[in-house]
PDB file of all heavy atoms in Angstrom:
ATOM      1  N   LEU A 353     -26.687 136.546 154.072  1.00 89.00           N
ATOM      2  CA  LEU A 353     -26.876 137.583 153.054  1.00 89.00           C
ATOM      3  C   LEU A 353     -26.055 137.285 151.811  1.00 89.00           C
ATOM      4  O   LEU A 353     -26.545 137.414 150.676  1.00 89.00           O
ATOM      5  CB  LEU A 353     -26.477 138.940 153.643  1.00 89.00           C
ATOM      6  CG  LEU A 353     -26.643 140.155 152.713  1.00 89.00           C
ATOM      7  CD1 LEU A 353     -28.117 140.386 152.416  1.00 89.00           C
ATOM      8  CD2 LEU A 353     -26.010 141.398 153.342  1.00 89.00           C
ATOM      9  N   LEU A 354     -24.802 136.876 152.003  1.00 86.00           N
ATOM     10  CA  LEU A 354     -23.932 136.567 150.865  1.00 86.00           C
ATOM     11  C   LEU A 354     -24.504 135.421 150.032  1.00 86.00           C
ATOM     12  O   LEU A 354     -24.498 135.473 148.794  1.00 86.00           O
ATOM     13  CB  LEU A 354     -22.535 136.211 151.379  1.00 86.00           C
ATOM     14  CG  LEU A 354     -21.469 135.884 150.320  1.00 86.00           C
ATOM     15  CD1 LEU A 354     -21.203 137.093 149.435  1.00 86.00           C
ATOM     16  CD2 LEU A 354     -20.180 135.415 151.002  1.00 86.00           C
ATOM     17  N   CYS A 355     -25.006 134.394 150.709  1.00 89.00           N
ATOM     18  CA  CYS A 355     -25.532 133.223 149.992  1.00 89.00           C
ATOM     19  C   CYS A 355     -26.807 133.536 149.222  1.00 89.00           C
ATOM     20  O   CYS A 355     -27.001 133.045 148.101  1.00 89.00           O
ATOM     21  CB  CYS A 355     -25.792 132.081 150.978  1.00 89.00           C
ATOM     22  SG  CYS A 355     -24.300 131.341 151.674  1.00 89.00           S
ATOM     23  N   LEU A 356     -27.687 134.331 149.812  1.00 91.00           N
ATOM     24  CA  LEU A 356     -28.997 134.574 149.202  1.00 91.00           C
ATOM     25  C   LEU A 356     -29.013 135.728 148.212  1.00 91.00           C
ATOM     26  O   LEU A 356     -29.962 135.869 147.433  1.00 91.00           O
ATOM     27  CB  LEU A 356     -30.038 134.829 150.291  1.00 91.00           C
ATOM     28  CG  LEU A 356     -30.267 133.691 151.291  1.00 91.00           C
ATOM     29  CD1 LEU A 356     -31.372 134.064 152.273  1.00 91.00           C
ATOM     30  CD2 LEU A 356     -30.601 132.387 150.577  1.00 91.00           C
ATOM     31  N   VAL A 357     -27.967 136.553 148.232  1.00 88.00           N
ATOM     32  CA  VAL A 357     -27.953 137.716 147.342  1.00 88.00           C
ATOM     33  C   VAL A 357     -26.850 137.623 146.281  1.00 88.00           C
ATOM     34  O   VAL A 357     -27.090 137.931 145.109  1.00 88.00           O
ATOM     35  CB  VAL A 357     -27.791 139.022 148.153  1.00 88.00           C
ATOM     36  CG1 VAL A 357     -27.710 140.244 147.227  1.00 88.00           C
ATOM     37  CG2 VAL A 357     -28.935 139.186 149.142  1.00 88.00           C
ATOM     38  N   PHE A 358     -25.670 137.169 146.676  1.00 85.00           N
ATOM     39  CA  PHE A 358     -24.542 137.221 145.754  1.00 85.00           C
ATOM     40  C   PHE A 358     -24.045 135.838 145.310  1.00 85.00           C
ATOM     41  O   PHE A 358     -23.793 135.610 144.128  1.00 85.00           O
ATOM     42  CB  PHE A 358     -23.378 138.000 146.392  1.00 85.00           C
ATOM     43  CG  PHE A 358     -23.748 139.397 146.784  1.00 85.00           C
ATOM     44  CD1 PHE A 358     -23.921 139.750 148.113  1.00 85.00           C
ATOM     45  CD2 PHE A 358     -23.923 140.376 145.817  1.00 85.00           C
ATOM     46  CE1 PHE A 358     -24.257 141.039 148.471  1.00 85.00           C
ATOM     47  CE2 PHE A 358     -24.257 141.682 146.162  1.00 85.00           C
ATOM     48  CZ  PHE A 358     -24.430 142.008 147.495  1.00 85.00           C
ATOM     49  N   ASP A 359     -23.885 134.921 146.283  1.00 85.00           N
ATOM     50  CA  ASP A 359     -23.335 133.596 145.947  1.00 85.00           C
ATOM     51  C   ASP A 359     -24.477 132.662 145.549  1.00 85.00           C
ATOM     52  O   ASP A 359     -24.788 131.685 146.230  1.00 85.00           O
ATOM     53  CB  ASP A 359     -22.564 133.045 147.155  1.00 85.00           C
ATOM     54  CG  ASP A 359     -21.786 131.783 146.801  1.00 85.00           C
ATOM     55  OD1 ASP A 359     -21.633 131.486 145.595  1.00 85.00           O
ATOM     56  OD2 ASP A 359     -21.343 131.092 147.743  1.00 85.00           O
ATOM     57  N   VAL A 360     -25.082 132.952 144.399  1.00 87.00           N
ATOM     58  CA  VAL A 360     -26.225 132.179 143.912  1.00 87.00           C
ATOM     59  C   VAL A 360     -25.705 131.052 143.024  1.00 87.00           C
ATOM     60  O   VAL A 360     -24.966 131.298 142.073  1.00 87.00           O
ATOM     61  CB  VAL A 360     -27.198 133.070 143.126  1.00 87.00           C
ATOM     62  CG1 VAL A 360     -28.379 132.249 142.606  1.00 87.00           C
ATOM     63  CG2 VAL A 360     -27.677 134.232 143.999  1.00 87.00           C
ATOM     64  N   PRO A 361     -26.051 129.791 143.305  1.00 87.00           N
ATOM     65  CA  PRO A 361     -25.504 128.671 142.523  1.00 87.00           C
ATOM     66  C   PRO A 361     -26.040 128.671 141.091  1.00 87.00           C
ATOM     67  O   PRO A 361     -27.144 129.141 140.813  1.00 87.00           O
ATOM     68  CB  PRO A 361     -25.976 127.447 143.305  1.00 87.00           C
ATOM     69  CG  PRO A 361     -27.202 127.902 144.008  1.00 87.00           C
ATOM     70  CD  PRO A 361     -26.971 129.337 144.352  1.00 87.00           C
ATOM     71  N   SER A 362     -25.217 128.108 140.212  1.00 85.00           N
ATOM     72  CA  SER A 362     -25.610 127.948 138.815  1.00 85.00           C
ATOM     73  C   SER A 362     -25.346 126.508 138.409  1.00 85.00           C
ATOM     74  O   SER A 362     -24.852 125.702 139.207  1.00 85.00           O
ATOM     75  CB  SER A 362     -24.817 128.906 137.925  1.00 85.00           C
ATOM     76  OG  SER A 362     -23.431 128.571 137.943  1.00 85.00           O
ATOM     77  N   ALA A 363     -25.630 126.182 137.161  1.00 84.00           N
ATOM     78  CA  ALA A 363     -25.400 124.822 136.674  1.00 84.00           C
ATOM     79  C   ALA A 363     -23.921 124.489 136.631  1.00 84.00           C
ATOM     80  O   ALA A 363     -23.533 123.322 136.736  1.00 84.00           O
ATOM     81  CB  ALA A 363     -26.025 124.667 135.281  1.00 84.00           C
ATOM     82  N   GLU A 364     -23.054 125.513 136.524  1.00 86.00           N
ATOM     83  CA  GLU A 364     -21.613 125.270 136.404  1.00 86.00           C
ATOM     84  C   GLU A 364     -20.866 125.403 137.742  1.00 86.00           C
ATOM     85  O   GLU A 364     -19.905 124.689 137.994  1.00 86.00           O
ATOM     86  CB  GLU A 364     -20.985 126.256 135.404  1.00 86.00           C
ATOM     87  CG  GLU A 364     -21.339 126.012 133.951  1.00 86.00           C
ATOM     88  CD  GLU A 364     -22.762 126.480 133.636  1.00 86.00           C
ATOM     89  OE1 GLU A 364     -23.274 127.337 134.409  1.00 86.00           O
ATOM     90  OE2 GLU A 364     -23.360 125.984 132.668  1.00 86.00           O
TER      91      GLU A 364
END
Side-chain angles (χ1 to χ4, degrees):
L353 181 66
L354 181 63
C355 290
L356 299 183
V357 177
F358 302 107
D359 189 14
V360 179
S362 65
E364 289 76 22

